[in-house]
Amino acid sequence: MKTFKGNVLFLDRSDINTDEIIPAKYLTEITKEALKPNLLEDLVLPGFARADTQDKAVIVTRENFGCGSSREHAPWALEVNGINVVIAESFARIFRQNMYNCGMFAIELPKETIDNLFLNYAGKEVTMAVDVDSNQIVIQADGKSETIDFKVGEFDKTLVKEGGWVGYADKNY
Amino acid sequence: MGKTIAEKIFDAHRVDEPFPDTHVLKLDRVFCHEITTPIAITDLMARGMDRVFDPTKIKAVIDHVTPAKDSKTAAQGKILRDWARRHEIKDFFDIGKNGVCHAIFPEKGFVRPGYTIIMGDSHTCTHGAFGAFAAGIGTTDLEVGILKGVCAFHFPKTIKIVLTGTLKPGVYAKDLILFIIKELTVNGATNMVIEFTGPVVDAMSMESRMTLCNMAIEAGGTCGICYPDMTTVDYLWDFIQDEFATKADALADYSKWVSDVDAEYERVLEYNVSELQPMVTVGFKPDQVRTVAEVSGTKVDQIYIGSCTNGRIEDLRIAAEVLRGKKISDNVRAIVSPATPAIYSMALKEGIIEIFQDAGFCVTNPTCGACLGMSNGVLAEGEVCASTTNRNFNGRMGKGGMVHLMSPASAAAAALAGTIVNSLLFKA
């Protein structure tokens, strides 16, 4: 199982698409590691700089994250940068499934909860940790701690625990 | 309670329901191209699982960057080519025989009503035009598809769109789907199938239905679906005549892949489209749509006609009608990419290629290239493209470039005028 804990990158925009996460010109790479320097290279978001992705483990964002292409290079570009968790109001279907298929978390939270995360924590030193067994996100900032419950389907949780879909499918089908 | 076509396809293909709302389906087709498949192949090799579930159900093509533009794309092609040979995948389309995946696979008769299809490409939804359940998936799902012939999906909640009326001259399936995406928004159909029905769809060619279904993903949809009918049978007849005595028999058989009248839908939306105008996108999201009239006069630098959305023979014929006997503006460059070798040949025979060339178009080989900014027509920073493709994301056709999505008629008109304009202006 991967690790789901660390610093948080806040991306305050909806509809961040796969071309923004990793542009098509890098799809000619045949290793995941090669995608590392180009994560979010084409992201259109005032105030965002590529360096902001350094030392992050979690992304918090708005609606429809990962829309567009089916490229699993998007989760891979996150993974090789140490980001195994994206928390959003909603995801595009293929991106969301790709995350769980890779044993990573794509967690959906209600709009009000996401609003509060931005309001309370964006711009601060904050860490988040996903507790796989209790379905909770533990947030630490300013020496205080907050816990948020989330929902995850049994299938998706199994994929996270087993490290992805290939091993599971090979065993069962 | 009745069932939708997607539910019926799920019922006929479900091999397991290991968890609530997790439907593992048997696959009739696994389509592959050289961008998303090589990493699946190398991962399977690394796991010691270099096997395929059924080489007759796997179809593969090199289409995104072809012929290879550099060592990296050459290596991707080689991995796919070697793998197809190693596993005796007979339907592998290499340079010279290759075309844009979502155009060449239907053209070869690989898609049938009631089929389940996956591909590591988001525009796989195109094949729903035949009454199939066809979904784009990522490389891991592709790996499992190749290895085991299965894929897991959630229950196919469905939005039904009923289209009535008659399209005006100069208005096409592309205008219709841009209008629908504007109505649904970019995530209005996320995790849902979009059914396109009604007299307007009934009257459409398979090419137009593929244009509609192709862009279901731009509203977040898992698949676009049209009901199979005699138009579907006619398109497929060369490939199915050994299976059925008559076309009527084929239609009778395929008619099981139609939604029941009492099927349950998430939403039902009805539009009379008789007053619909030519449409165009204006921003970096496919739901940012205006009428051509609203942005008429917007300058463009490049015109691109092609792709899995609008690179089929019907599209080239429509564009050629606008271009016939005219020259493109001195202020633009224009590119047409017939989506398959067969389309290219037809266009040659019909004199369409000559019309494009006389007008000043560059005619390229079949490839996805320019649509995603990989080759054959990449934009420079600050440039604007009038394009018949399906995505206008920032940087999609080249970093810093702007893409206006539109119909082949509108793109041809933009080539002549050098600006976005109604194609009827150039009709004889």
Side-chain angles (χ1 to χ4, degrees), chain A residues 15 17 19 24 27-29 42 44 63 68-70 72 76 93-94 98 101 158 165 170 173, chain B residues 16 19 24 49 72 76 120-121 136-141 148 186 191 222 285 391 393-394 399:
Chain A
D15 304 315
N17 64 57
D19 282 68
L27 304 187
T28 61
E29 300 296 346
D42 281 353
V44 183
E63 273 188 286
S69 155
S70 67
E72 205 159 301
W76 295 335
R93 178 190 65 88
I94 304 175
N98 285 345
N101 282 349
T158 302
W165 171 223
D170 190 52
Y173 302 109
Chain B
D16 193 14
F19 302 103
V24 180
M49 296 175 175
K72 283 180 178 174
Q76 287 181 309
D121 190 286
I137 43 80
T139 290
T140 301
D141 273 335
K148 294 286 170 178
V186 289
N191 295 317
T222 305
K285 296 198 295 173
R391 255 180 210 147
F393 294 167
N394 182 39
K399 198 177 178 82

mmCIF file of all heavy atoms in Angstrom, chain A residues 15 17 19 24 27-29 42 44 63 68-70 72 76 93-94 98 101 158 165 170 173, chain B residues 16 19 24 49 72 76 120-121 136-141 148 186 191 222 285 391 393-394 399:
data_model
loop_
_atom_site.group_PDB
_atom_site.id
_atom_site.type_symbol
_atom_site.label_atom_id
_atom_site.label_comp_id
_atom_site.label_asym_id
_atom_site.label_seq_id
_atom_site.Cartn_x
_atom_site.Cartn_y
_atom_site.Cartn_z
ATOM 1 N N ASP A 15 -12.571 22.095 -12.819
ATOM 2 C CA ASP A 15 -12.309 21.626 -14.195
ATOM 3 C C ASP A 15 -10.827 21.642 -14.572
ATOM 4 O O ASP A 15 -10.480 21.914 -15.723
ATOM 5 C CB ASP A 15 -13.105 22.465 -15.215
ATOM 6 C CG ASP A 15 -14.595 22.478 -14.934
ATOM 7 O OD1 ASP A 15 -15.145 21.401 -14.645
ATOM 8 O OD2 ASP A 15 -15.204 23.568 -14.999
ATOM 9 N N ASN A 17 -7.966 20.056 -16.041
ATOM 10 C CA ASN A 17 -8.035 18.907 -16.948
ATOM 11 C C ASN A 17 -6.701 18.168 -17.034
ATOM 12 O O ASN A 17 -5.667 18.641 -16.560
ATOM 13 C CB ASN A 17 -8.550 19.359 -18.327
ATOM 14 C CG ASN A 17 -7.605 20.327 -19.016
ATOM 15 O OD1 ASN A 17 -6.449 20.014 -19.230
ATOM 16 N ND2 ASN A 17 -8.109 21.516 -19.358
ATOM 17 N N ASP A 19 -4.813 17.631 -19.572
ATOM 18 C CA ASP A 19 -3.777 18.321 -20.344
ATOM 19 C C ASP A 19 -3.011 19.300 -19.461
ATOM 20 O O ASP A 19 -1.822 19.539 -19.673
ATOM 21 C CB ASP A 19 -4.388 19.076 -21.534
ATOM 22 C CG ASP A 19 -4.719 18.132 -22.696
ATOM 23 O OD1 ASP A 19 -5.638 17.313 -22.529
ATOM 24 O OD2 ASP A 19 -4.053 18.196 -23.745
ATOM 25 N N ALA A 24 0.026 16.720 -23.422
ATOM 26 C CA ALA A 24 0.095 15.576 -24.338
ATOM 27 C C ALA A 24 1.494 15.343 -24.876
ATOM 28 O O ALA A 24 1.871 14.211 -25.180
ATOM 29 C CB ALA A 24 -0.884 15.774 -25.482
ATOM 30 N N LEU A 27 3.394 12.509 -23.504
ATOM 31 C CA LEU A 27 2.838 11.154 -23.582
ATOM 32 C C LEU A 27 3.729 10.222 -24.406
ATOM 33 O O LEU A 27 3.439 9.041 -24.540
ATOM 34 C CB LEU A 27 1.427 11.170 -24.177
ATOM 35 C CG LEU A 27 0.402 12.056 -23.476
ATOM 36 C CD1 LEU A 27 -0.988 11.840 -24.068
ATOM 37 C CD2 LEU A 27 0.369 11.791 -21.979
ATOM 38 N N THR A 28 4.794 10.758 -24.968
ATOM 39 C CA THR A 28 5.726 9.899 -25.694
ATOM 40 C C THR A 28 6.735 9.261 -24.745
ATOM 41 O O THR A 28 7.534 8.439 -25.167
ATOM 42 C CB THR A 28 6.480 10.698 -26.777
ATOM 43 O OG1 THR A 28 7.222 11.732 -26.151
ATOM 44 C CG2 THR A 28 5.514 11.307 -27.777
ATOM 45 N N GLU A 29 6.685 9.627 -23.469
ATOM 46 C CA GLU A 29 7.571 8.999 -22.484
ATOM 47 C C GLU A 29 7.084 7.579 -22.205
ATOM 48 O O GLU A 29 5.881 7.327 -22.182
ATOM 49 C CB GLU A 29 7.575 9.805 -21.171
ATOM 50 C CG GLU A 29 8.058 11.243 -21.327
ATOM 51 C CD GLU A 29 9.518 11.342 -21.753
ATOM 52 O OE1 GLU A 29 10.229 10.325 -21.669
ATOM 53 O OE2 GLU A 29 9.939 12.437 -22.183
ATOM 54 N N ASP A 42 1.054 23.124 -17.461
ATOM 55 C CA ASP A 42 0.191 24.056 -18.201
ATOM 56 C C ASP A 42 -1.012 24.527 -17.382
ATOM 57 O O ASP A 42 -1.999 25.007 -17.929
ATOM 58 C CB ASP A 42 -0.302 23.395 -19.502
ATOM 59 C CG ASP A 42 0.770 23.432 -20.601
ATOM 60 O OD1 ASP A 42 1.813 24.082 -20.387
ATOM 61 O OD2 ASP A 42 0.559 22.809 -21.653
ATOM 62 N N VAL A 44 -3.548 26.681 -15.603
ATOM 63 C CA VAL A 44 -3.910 28.099 -15.636
ATOM 64 C C VAL A 44 -4.530 28.445 -14.294
ATOM 65 O O VAL A 44 -5.671 28.110 -14.014
ATOM 66 C CB VAL A 44 -4.940 28.382 -16.755
ATOM 67 C CG1 VAL A 44 -5.255 29.865 -16.821
ATOM 68 C CG2 VAL A 44 -4.424 27.870 -18.092
ATOM 69 N N GLU A 63 -14.255 21.241 -8.302
ATOM 70 C CA GLU A 63 -15.087 20.286 -9.052
ATOM 71 C C GLU A 63 -14.368 19.696 -10.261
ATOM 72 O O GLU A 63 -13.536 20.366 -10.870
ATOM 73 C CB GLU A 63 -16.305 21.029 -9.630
ATOM 74 C CG GLU A 63 -17.495 21.146 -8.744
ATOM 75 C CD GLU A 63 -18.660 21.716 -9.540
ATOM 76 O OE1 GLU A 63 -18.655 22.933 -9.846
ATOM 77 O OE2 GLU A 63 -19.554 20.948 -9.885
ATOM 78 N N GLY A 68 -11.242 15.323 -19.162
ATOM 79 C CA GLY A 68 -10.555 15.273 -20.455
ATOM 80 C C GLY A 68 -10.072 13.879 -20.800
ATOM 81 O O GLY A 68 -10.831 12.923 -20.756
ATOM 82 N N SER A 69 -8.812 13.808 -21.082
ATOM 83 C CA SER A 69 -8.178 12.601 -21.620
ATOM 84 C C SER A 69 -8.202 11.430 -20.640
ATOM 85 O O SER A 69 -8.315 11.616 -19.431
ATOM 86 C CB SER A 69 -6.738 12.975 -21.980
ATOM 87 O OG SER A 69 -5.901 11.865 -21.971
ATOM 88 N N SER A 70 -8.037 10.224 -21.192
ATOM 89 C CA SER A 70 -7.989 9.007 -20.364
ATOM 90 C C SER A 70 -6.598 8.742 -19.814
ATOM 91 O O SER A 70 -6.404 7.786 -19.079
ATOM 92 C CB SER A 70 -8.419 7.810 -21.206
ATOM 93 O OG SER A 70 -7.468 7.555 -22.226
ATOM 94 N N GLU A 72 -3.461 7.822 -18.094
ATOM 95 C CA GLU A 72 -3.091 7.483 -16.724
ATOM 96 C C GLU A 72 -1.802 8.196 -16.349
ATOM 97 O O GLU A 72 -1.375 8.186 -15.188
ATOM 98 C CB GLU A 72 -2.967 5.958 -16.591
ATOM 99 C CG GLU A 72 -3.185 5.455 -15.182
ATOM 100 C CD GLU A 72 -3.573 3.988 -15.144
ATOM 101 O OE1 GLU A 72 -4.607 3.628 -15.752
ATOM 102 O OE2 GLU A 72 -2.859 3.199 -14.528
ATOM 103 N N TRP A 76 0.032 9.151 -12.717
ATOM 104 C CA TRP A 76 1.459 8.814 -12.612
ATOM 105 C C TRP A 76 2.296 10.059 -12.337
ATOM 106 O O TRP A 76 3.239 10.013 -11.542
ATOM 107 C CB TRP A 76 1.967 8.160 -13.901
ATOM 108 C CG TRP A 76 1.341 6.820 -14.209
ATOM 109 C CD1 TRP A 76 0.787 5.945 -13.316
ATOM 110 C CD2 TRP A 76 1.200 6.222 -15.508
ATOM 111 N NE1 TRP A 76 0.304 4.840 -13.987
ATOM 112 C CE2 TRP A 76 0.548 4.969 -15.322
ATOM 113 C CE3 TRP A 76 1.548 6.614 -16.801
ATOM 114 C CZ2 TRP A 76 0.250 4.123 -16.390
ATOM 115 C CZ3 TRP A 76 1.255 5.762 -17.860
ATOM 116 C CH2 TRP A 76 0.615 4.532 -17.650
ATOM 117 N N ARG A 93 -14.766 10.728 -14.404
ATOM 118 C CA ARG A 93 -14.832 9.288 -14.148
ATOM 119 C C ARG A 93 -13.515 8.563 -14.405
ATOM 120 O O ARG A 93 -13.043 7.794 -13.565
ATOM 121 C CB ARG A 93 -15.919 8.639 -15.021
ATOM 122 C CG ARG A 93 -16.013 7.122 -14.852
ATOM 123 C CD ARG A 93 -16.912 6.476 -15.879
ATOM 124 N NE ARG A 93 -16.413 6.604 -17.221
ATOM 125 C CZ ARG A 93 -15.578 5.763 -17.814
ATOM 126 N NH1 ARG A 93 -15.136 4.707 -17.175
ATOM 127 N NH2 ARG A 93 -15.159 5.970 -19.042
ATOM 128 N N ILE A 94 -12.911 8.794 -15.573
ATOM 129 C CA ILE A 94 -11.737 7.994 -15.937
ATOM 130 C C ILE A 94 -10.582 8.309 -14.992
ATOM 131 O O ILE A 94 -9.904 7.421 -14.493
ATOM 132 C CB ILE A 94 -11.330 8.223 -17.415
ATOM 133 C CG1 ILE A 94 -12.510 7.937 -18.346
ATOM 134 C CG2 ILE A 94 -10.153 7.318 -17.775
ATOM 135 C CD1 ILE A 94 -12.225 8.270 -19.826
ATOM 136 N N ASN A 98 -8.702 5.727 -12.606
ATOM 137 C CA ASN A 98 -7.255 5.541 -12.782
ATOM 138 C C ASN A 98 -6.512 5.677 -11.447
ATOM 139 O O ASN A 98 -5.557 4.954 -11.182
ATOM 140 C CB ASN A 98 -6.696 6.561 -13.775
ATOM 141 C CG ASN A 98 -7.058 6.238 -15.215
ATOM 142 O OD1 ASN A 98 -7.491 5.124 -15.528
ATOM 143 N ND2 ASN A 98 -6.886 7.212 -16.089
ATOM 144 N N ASN A 101 -7.198 2.562 -9.520
ATOM 145 C CA ASN A 101 -6.528 1.443 -10.199
ATOM 146 C C ASN A 101 -5.031 1.420 -9.907
ATOM 147 O O ASN A 101 -4.388 0.381 -9.991
ATOM 148 C CB ASN A 101 -6.747 1.532 -11.716
ATOM 149 C CG ASN A 101 -8.133 1.058 -12.128
ATOM 150 O OD1 ASN A 101 -8.864 0.476 -11.335
ATOM 151 N ND2 ASN A 101 -8.492 1.289 -13.368
ATOM 152 N N THR A 158 -10.565 -1.673 -1.710
ATOM 153 C CA THR A 158 -9.836 -2.929 -1.943
ATOM 154 C C THR A 158 -8.643 -2.682 -2.873
ATOM 155 O O THR A 158 -7.551 -3.211 -2.654
ATOM 156 C CB THR A 158 -10.784 -3.978 -2.560
ATOM 157 O OG1 THR A 158 -11.881 -4.166 -1.666
ATOM 158 C CG2 THR A 158 -10.074 -5.307 -2.783
ATOM 159 N N TRP A 165 -5.396 -2.639 -9.462
ATOM 160 C CA TRP A 165 -6.417 -3.484 -10.088
ATOM 161 C C TRP A 165 -5.809 -4.700 -10.784
ATOM 162 O O TRP A 165 -6.452 -5.752 -10.883
ATOM 163 C CB TRP A 165 -7.190 -2.586 -11.035
ATOM 164 C CG TRP A 165 -8.198 -3.102 -12.031
ATOM 165 C CD1 TRP A 165 -8.312 -2.681 -13.323
ATOM 166 C CD2 TRP A 165 -9.267 -4.045 -11.855
ATOM 167 N NE1 TRP A 165 -9.371 -3.306 -13.962
ATOM 168 C CE2 TRP A 165 -9.973 -4.152 -13.069
ATOM 169 C CE3 TRP A 165 -9.694 -4.840 -10.788
ATOM 170 C CZ2 TRP A 165 -11.072 -4.991 -13.258
ATOM 171 C CZ3 TRP A 165 -10.806 -5.680 -10.968
ATOM 172 C CH2 TRP A 165 -11.481 -5.743 -12.195
ATOM 173 N N ASP A 170 -6.091 -10.341 -11.702
ATOM 174 C CA ASP A 170 -5.371 -11.569 -12.056
ATOM 175 C C ASP A 170 -5.737 -12.705 -11.098
ATOM 176 O O ASP A 170 -5.843 -13.851 -11.504
ATOM 177 C CB ASP A 170 -3.853 -11.325 -12.045
ATOM 178 C CG ASP A 170 -3.093 -12.502 -12.632
ATOM 179 O OD1 ASP A 170 -3.445 -12.925 -13.751
ATOM 180 O OD2 ASP A 170 -2.187 -13.025 -11.971
ATOM 181 N N TYR A 173 -10.078 -13.246 -11.863
ATOM 182 C CA TYR A 173 -10.782 -13.489 -13.145
ATOM 183 C C TYR A 173 -9.926 -14.291 -14.103
ATOM 184 O O TYR A 173 -8.744 -14.341 -14.001
ATOM 185 C CB TYR A 173 -11.191 -12.148 -13.774
ATOM 186 C CG TYR A 173 -12.072 -11.349 -12.859
ATOM 187 C CD1 TYR A 173 -11.614 -10.201 -12.233
ATOM 188 C CD2 TYR A 173 -13.358 -11.810 -12.556
ATOM 189 C CE1 TYR A 173 -12.411 -9.505 -11.344
ATOM 190 C CE2 TYR A 173 -14.159 -11.128 -11.668
ATOM 191 C CZ TYR A 173 -13.684 -9.979 -11.070
ATOM 192 O OH TYR A 173 -14.470 -9.313 -10.181
ATOM 193 N N ASP B 16 -19.344 -10.668 -12.871
ATOM 194 C CA ASP B 16 -19.169 -10.624 -11.418
ATOM 195 C C ASP B 16 -19.697 -9.290 -10.900
ATOM 196 O O ASP B 16 -19.717 -8.287 -11.630
ATOM 197 C CB ASP B 16 -17.673 -10.755 -11.057
ATOM 198 C CG ASP B 16 -17.440 -11.040 -9.577
ATOM 199 O OD1 ASP B 16 -18.421 -11.406 -8.886
ATOM 200 O OD2 ASP B 16 -16.287 -10.900 -9.124
ATOM 201 N N PHE B 19 -18.595 -6.218 -5.407
ATOM 202 C CA PHE B 19 -18.956 -5.253 -4.371
ATOM 203 C C PHE B 19 -20.208 -4.519 -4.842
ATOM 204 O O PHE B 19 -20.524 -4.565 -6.037
ATOM 205 C CB PHE B 19 -17.820 -4.236 -4.151
ATOM 206 C CG PHE B 19 -16.521 -4.887 -3.779
ATOM 207 C CD1 PHE B 19 -15.510 -5.032 -4.732
ATOM 208 C CD2 PHE B 19 -16.293 -5.361 -2.490
ATOM 209 C CE1 PHE B 19 -14.306 -5.643 -4.390
ATOM 210 C CE2 PHE B 19 -15.085 -5.957 -2.154
ATOM 211 C CZ PHE B 19 -14.099 -6.108 -3.094
ATOM 212 N N VAL B 24 -18.432 -6.106 -13.107
ATOM 213 C CA VAL B 24 -17.313 -6.566 -13.925
ATOM 214 C C VAL B 24 -17.904 -7.173 -15.196
ATOM 215 O O VAL B 24 -18.672 -8.133 -15.137
ATOM 216 C CB VAL B 24 -16.437 -7.583 -13.165
ATOM 217 C CG1 VAL B 24 -15.285 -8.052 -14.049
ATOM 218 C CG2 VAL B 24 -15.900 -6.958 -11.883
ATOM 219 N N MET B 49 3.522 -11.309 -17.002
ATOM 220 C CA MET B 49 2.157 -11.612 -17.451
ATOM 221 C C MET B 49 1.960 -11.191 -18.908
ATOM 222 O O MET B 49 0.898 -10.678 -19.261
ATOM 223 C CB MET B 49 1.148 -10.824 -16.609
ATOM 224 C CG MET B 49 1.103 -11.175 -15.141
ATOM 225 S SD MET B 49 -0.040 -10.006 -14.352
ATOM 226 C CE MET B 49 -0.090 -10.637 -12.695
ATOM 227 N N LYS B 72 11.474 8.697 -29.623
ATOM 228 C CA LYS B 72 10.534 8.261 -28.590
ATOM 229 C C LYS B 72 9.257 7.693 -29.206
ATOM 230 O O LYS B 72 8.749 6.654 -28.783
ATOM 231 C CB LYS B 72 10.194 9.424 -27.658
ATOM 232 C CG LYS B 72 11.299 9.713 -26.673
ATOM 233 C CD LYS B 72 10.939 10.870 -25.774
ATOM 234 C CE LYS B 72 12.055 11.112 -24.771
ATOM 235 N NZ LYS B 72 11.818 12.309 -23.973
ATOM 236 N N GLN B 76 7.656 3.854 -29.190
ATOM 237 C CA GLN B 76 6.276 3.492 -28.825
ATOM 238 C C GLN B 76 5.656 2.603 -29.898
ATOM 239 O O GLN B 76 5.008 1.596 -29.605
ATOM 240 C CB GLN B 76 5.421 4.759 -28.645
ATOM 241 C CG GLN B 76 5.758 5.512 -27.372
ATOM 242 C CD GLN B 76 4.892 6.757 -27.196
ATOM 243 O OE1 GLN B 76 4.789 7.575 -28.109
ATOM 244 N NE2 GLN B 76 4.277 6.897 -26.058
ATOM 245 N N GLY B 120 -7.808 2.675 -24.243
ATOM 246 C CA GLY B 120 -7.117 3.697 -23.467
ATOM 247 C C GLY B 120 -7.134 5.020 -24.192
ATOM 248 O O GLY B 120 -6.093 5.564 -24.571
ATOM 249 N N ASP B 121 -8.359 5.521 -24.389
ATOM 250 C CA ASP B 121 -8.545 6.761 -25.128
ATOM 251 C C ASP B 121 -9.938 7.285 -24.781
ATOM 252 O O ASP B 121 -10.923 6.557 -24.914
ATOM 253 C CB ASP B 121 -8.449 6.490 -26.632
ATOM 254 C CG ASP B 121 -8.402 7.780 -27.421
ATOM 255 O OD1 ASP B 121 -9.467 8.433 -27.538
ATOM 256 O OD2 ASP B 121 -7.329 8.148 -27.901
ATOM 257 N N GLY B 136 -13.863 4.949 -22.641
ATOM 258 C CA GLY B 136 -12.444 5.241 -22.474
ATOM 259 C C GLY B 136 -12.023 4.831 -21.075
ATOM 260 O O GLY B 136 -12.777 5.006 -20.116
ATOM 261 N N ILE B 137 -10.817 4.299 -20.965
ATOM 262 C CA ILE B 137 -10.297 3.857 -19.666
ATOM 263 C C ILE B 137 -8.804 4.172 -19.643
ATOM 264 O O ILE B 137 -8.223 4.531 -20.669
ATOM 265 C CB ILE B 137 -10.549 2.350 -19.435
ATOM 266 C CG1 ILE B 137 -10.250 1.506 -20.678
ATOM 267 C CG2 ILE B 137 -11.992 2.079 -19.054
ATOM 268 C CD1 ILE B 137 -8.874 1.166 -20.967
ATOM 269 N N GLY B 138 -8.185 4.005 -18.491
ATOM 270 C CA GLY B 138 -6.757 4.274 -18.377
ATOM 271 C C GLY B 138 -5.928 3.031 -18.662
ATOM 272 O O GLY B 138 -6.454 1.977 -19.018
ATOM 273 N N THR B 139 -4.632 3.193 -18.473
ATOM 274 C CA THR B 139 -3.707 2.119 -18.845
ATOM 275 C C THR B 139 -3.864 0.874 -17.968
ATOM 276 O O THR B 139 -3.736 -0.253 -18.457
ATOM 277 C CB THR B 139 -2.262 2.664 -18.806
ATOM 278 O OG1 THR B 139 -2.122 3.567 -19.907
ATOM 279 C CG2 THR B 139 -1.220 1.572 -18.951
ATOM 280 N N THR B 140 -4.177 1.050 -16.681
ATOM 281 C CA THR B 140 -4.347 -0.130 -15.814
ATOM 282 C C THR B 140 -5.569 -0.943 -16.226
ATOM 283 O O THR B 140 -5.511 -2.174 -16.320
ATOM 284 C CB THR B 140 -4.463 0.304 -14.337
ATOM 285 O OG1 THR B 140 -3.270 1.009 -13.989
ATOM 286 C CG2 THR B 140 -4.618 -0.894 -13.422
ATOM 287 N N ASP B 141 -6.694 -0.262 -16.489
ATOM 288 C CA ASP B 141 -7.879 -0.967 -16.984
ATOM 289 C C ASP B 141 -7.572 -1.649 -18.322
ATOM 290 O O ASP B 141 -8.059 -2.749 -18.596
ATOM 291 C CB ASP B 141 -9.057 0.003 -17.167
ATOM 292 C CG ASP B 141 -9.863 0.185 -15.891
ATOM 293 O OD1 ASP B 141 -9.844 -0.726 -15.036
ATOM 294 O OD2 ASP B 141 -10.522 1.237 -15.742
ATOM 295 N N LYS B 148 -7.229 -10.186 -19.243
ATOM 296 C CA LYS B 148 -8.355 -10.989 -18.752
ATOM 297 C C LYS B 148 -9.656 -10.792 -19.537
ATOM 298 O O LYS B 148 -10.621 -11.526 -19.323
ATOM 299 C CB LYS B 148 -8.616 -10.628 -17.271
ATOM 300 C CG LYS B 148 -7.489 -11.025 -16.349
ATOM 301 C CD LYS B 148 -7.475 -12.546 -16.144
ATOM 302 C CE LYS B 148 -6.220 -12.991 -15.417
ATOM 303 N NZ LYS B 148 -6.251 -14.455 -15.187
ATOM 304 N N VAL B 186 -19.548 20.749 -18.674
ATOM 305 C CA VAL B 186 -18.443 19.790 -18.813
ATOM 306 C C VAL B 186 -18.490 18.617 -17.834
ATOM 307 O O VAL B 186 -17.791 17.629 -18.036
ATOM 308 C CB VAL B 186 -17.049 20.460 -18.723
ATOM 309 C CG1 VAL B 186 -16.763 21.281 -19.960
ATOM 310 C CG2 VAL B 186 -16.915 21.285 -17.451
ATOM 311 N N ASN B 191 -20.064 10.088 -15.005
ATOM 312 C CA ASN B 191 -20.510 8.760 -14.558
ATOM 313 C C ASN B 191 -21.833 8.331 -15.192
ATOM 314 O O ASN B 191 -22.512 7.442 -14.686
ATOM 315 C CB ASN B 191 -20.637 8.688 -13.031
ATOM 316 C CG ASN B 191 -19.295 8.858 -12.356
ATOM 317 O OD1 ASN B 191 -18.300 8.287 -12.801
ATOM 318 N ND2 ASN B 191 -19.244 9.666 -11.312
ATOM 319 N N THR B 222 -19.735 8.719 -19.848
ATOM 320 C CA THR B 222 -18.964 7.481 -19.999
ATOM 321 C C THR B 222 -19.034 7.008 -21.440
ATOM 322 O O THR B 222 -18.055 6.552 -22.021
ATOM 323 C CB THR B 222 -19.544 6.383 -19.078
ATOM 324 O OG1 THR B 222 -19.581 6.881 -17.755
ATOM 325 C CG2 THR B 222 -18.718 5.116 -19.142
ATOM 326 N N LYS B 285 -12.799 25.551 -22.336
ATOM 327 C CA LYS B 285 -13.623 24.408 -21.926
ATOM 328 C C LYS B 285 -14.657 24.155 -23.023
ATOM 329 O O LYS B 285 -15.196 25.096 -23.606
ATOM 330 C CB LYS B 285 -14.351 24.707 -20.610
ATOM 331 C CG LYS B 285 -13.424 24.919 -19.437
ATOM 332 C CD LYS B 285 -14.165 24.780 -18.098
ATOM 333 C CE LYS B 285 -15.215 25.845 -17.876
ATOM 334 N NZ LYS B 285 -16.019 25.588 -16.672
ATOM 335 N N ARG B 391 -11.483 19.039 -28.532
ATOM 336 C CA ARG B 391 -11.021 19.619 -27.263
ATOM 337 C C ARG B 391 -10.367 20.962 -27.472
ATOM 338 O O ARG B 391 -9.490 21.101 -28.324
ATOM 339 C CB ARG B 391 -10.034 18.672 -26.582
ATOM 340 C CG ARG B 391 -10.677 18.015 -25.453
ATOM 341 C CD ARG B 391 -9.860 17.062 -24.687
ATOM 342 N NE ARG B 391 -10.809 16.086 -24.191
ATOM 343 C CZ ARG B 391 -10.591 14.811 -24.006
ATOM 344 N NH1 ARG B 391 -9.405 14.317 -24.241
ATOM 345 N NH2 ARG B 391 -11.539 14.030 -23.583
ATOM 346 N N PHE B 393 -8.978 22.661 -24.767
ATOM 347 C CA PHE B 393 -8.222 22.947 -23.546
ATOM 348 C C PHE B 393 -7.053 23.879 -23.865
ATOM 349 O O PHE B 393 -6.491 23.841 -24.950
ATOM 350 C CB PHE B 393 -7.648 21.660 -22.952
ATOM 351 C CG PHE B 393 -8.674 20.681 -22.444
ATOM 352 C CD1 PHE B 393 -8.296 19.385 -22.147
ATOM 353 C CD2 PHE B 393 -10.000 21.040 -22.258
ATOM 354 C CE1 PHE B 393 -9.217 18.462 -21.667
ATOM 355 C CE2 PHE B 393 -10.938 20.128 -21.783
ATOM 356 C CZ PHE B 393 -10.538 18.831 -21.488
ATOM 357 N N ASN B 394 -6.690 24.651 -22.840
ATOM 358 C CA ASN B 394 -5.551 25.545 -22.989
ATOM 359 C C ASN B 394 -4.306 24.737 -23.381
ATOM 360 O O ASN B 394 -3.939 23.784 -22.719
ATOM 361 C CB ASN B 394 -5.299 26.265 -21.651
ATOM 362 C CG ASN B 394 -4.172 27.252 -21.739
ATOM 363 O OD1 ASN B 394 -4.028 27.937 -22.743
ATOM 364 N ND2 ASN B 394 -3.360 27.323 -20.694
ATOM 365 N N LYS B 399 1.320 24.834 -26.941
ATOM 366 C CA LYS B 399 1.367 25.710 -25.763
ATOM 367 C C LYS B 399 1.084 27.158 -26.150
ATOM 368 O O LYS B 399 1.686 27.676 -27.092
ATOM 369 C CB LYS B 399 2.751 25.596 -25.116
ATOM 370 C CG LYS B 399 2.800 26.088 -23.684
ATOM 371 C CD LYS B 399 4.189 25.867 -23.100
ATOM 372 C CE LYS B 399 4.279 26.383 -21.689
ATOM 373 N NZ LYS B 399 3.755 25.450 -20.694
#
